[in-house]
Amino acid sequence: MVQKSDLILGLGYDPIEMRPGWRNVWDPRVHRMIDITPEANTHYMHHDSLALISALNPTLAALTSGAGKTATWPCGAPSAAQAALIAAFPHGMTGARPV
Amino acid sequence: MIAECQATLPANTLASADSGAHRILLSQMWTCAAPRDLIQSSGLCTMGCAVPMAIGRKLASPDRPVVSFSGDAGFLMVAGDLATAAELGVAPIFVVFADASLALIELKQRQRQLSNAGVDMARHDFAAIGRAFGGNGITVRNRAELNKALREALASDRFTVISAEIEPGGYDGRI
Ligand SMILES: Cc1ncc(C[n+]2csc(CCOP(=O)(O)OP(=O)(O)O)c2C)c(N)n1
Ligand SMILES: [Mg+2]
């Protein structure tokens, strides 16, 4: 789903301890990825196509001021991914809920 | 284990999670009724945070059920914090995923085709550690036992350590 996105935003995203297969999930030569973080990327767990090294709250406030809401993912991929995740694990219980 | 905890604990439960394989699985499964119902160390991913965070949560919200989820290694790092829970007289529930392994690191070693080094550990009696500090302590091995332990813990005015014994490698294919 991330790889199908036309824009990936990393908002304060500062990954550590990424497992093999979870690194460089997107390719900044193919995907548009904007990282907004107060520190420069020295973790090399992913790369961006644009980095804003700045405080998160004022940066987001400046970028979104005057911006209206636009529809994203008309195909509903995020909710489908969420539903698949829920379906992948057991639910329910054996015993009784406390009274 | 996680499904049983979610189904048994009331919807207003406050939770904390430690760092490791159990936390990744829990994060994929746990449903929160409100923001911050589940807190974890998302920045530094520090092991050992779940137990003291649960003590703090119970101190701040004595009327709500509080549960921590720790791996066996992370729980061992801060087992002495149970003294603080006892001295403060608070009654959170401390759930330990006892798999005799530093599972997340074992998984990373395997995925990188490194040999197994320093990630297997012994089975310790975490329930007895809880009792030694004046709380309740119980070891469970299936969902029915876990359900019973959780209901007793919710009704107790003392803290409870629930050691849920699982097989090493139980996270394979799930996280
Ligand atoms: C203080 C600290 N030391 C080391 C690590 C690296 N680390 C992450 S998970 C892990 C193993 C955790 O083992 P356990 O608590 O048993 O949880 P499990 O992975 O078995 O669920 C280690 C050593 C860390 N995150 N924090
Ligand atoms: Mg473990």
Side-chain angles (χ1 to χ4, degrees):
Chain A
M1 200 191 85
V2 170
Q3 286 166 349
K4 275 190 268 174
S5 308
D6 55 13
L7 177 63
I8 303 164
L9 296 170
L11 307 178
Y13 181 46
D14 182 17
I16 64 168
E17 294 206 18
M18 298 305 274
R19 283 170 280 160
W22 287 47
R23 296 179 190 165
N24 295 310
V25 172
W26 54 82
D27 180 349
R29 291 166 303 186
V30 178
H31 303 100
R32 280 191 295 181
M33 197 277 162
I34 303 175
D35 236 345
I36 307 177
T37 46
E39 298 283 340
N41 174 348
T42 52
H43 52 69
Y44 308 119
M45 296 289 119
H46 66 251
H47 296 282
D48 51 65
S49 38
L50 178 66
L52 301 182
I53 301 172
S54 56
L56 205 53
N57 282 341
T59 307
L60 291 179
L63 287 176
T64 54
S65 75
K69 274 200 173 150
T70 48
T72 54
W73 295 100
C75 60
S79 45
Q82 233 162 10
L85 197 56
I86 290 168
F89 299 107
H91 297 281
M93 64 194 304
T94 51
R97 216 181 241 284
V99 283
Chain B
M1 269 181 68
I2 297 168
E4 194 64 38
C5 288
Q6 178 101 67
T8 309
L9 294 170
N12 68 337
T13 297
L14 297 170
S16 66
D18 222 65
S19 208
H22 65 283
R23 177 256 275 269
I24 297 176
L25 187 56
L26 187 99
S27 302
Q28 290 170 167
M29 293 181 66
W30 198 255
T31 307
C32 294
R36 296 185 208 283
D37 274 4
L38 169 66
I39 59 171
Q40 30 181 306
S41 169
S42 54
L44 294 172
C45 299
T46 178
M47 289 166 72
C49 68
V51 167
M53 287 198 304
I55 296 171
R57 297 206 94 172
K58 192 64 182 174
L59 203 54
S61 308
D63 298 331
R64 292 178 68 174
V66 173
V67 64
S68 73
F69 297 102
S70 304
D72 38 8
F75 184 83
L76 275 182
M77 281 183 173
V78 295
D81 283 15
L82 296 178
T84 305
E87 287 172 23
L88 293 172
V90 292
I93 305 169
F94 304 111
V95 175
V96 183
F97 290 67
D99 62 350
S101 167
L102 284 82
L104 186 59
I105 307 305
E106 190 275 336
L107 182 73
K108 288 180 183 179
Q109 286 179 350
R110 238 186 313 135
Q111 285 175 333
R112 294 176 61 191
Q113 302 187 5
L114 299 170
S115 55
N116 177 300
V119 291
D120 300 335
M121 56 184 273
R123 288 210 173 268
H124 300 288
D125 191 344
F126 300 104
I129 296 174
R131 290 194 296 273
F133 280 102
N136 310 297
I138 182 150
T139 302
V140 301
R141 290 189 186 80
N142 57 52
R143 288 181 64 156
E145 289 172 4
L146 176 58
N147 179 272
K148 183 167 174 285
L150 287 168
R151 284 187 289 129
E152 286 169 3
L154 285 169
S156 178
D157 57 2
R158 288 179 295 162
F159 71 82
T160 302
V161 175
I162 300 177
S163 175
E165 296 204 340
I166 52 178
E167 293 304 312
Y171 298 101
D172 280 13
R174 292 195 169 92
I175 62 171

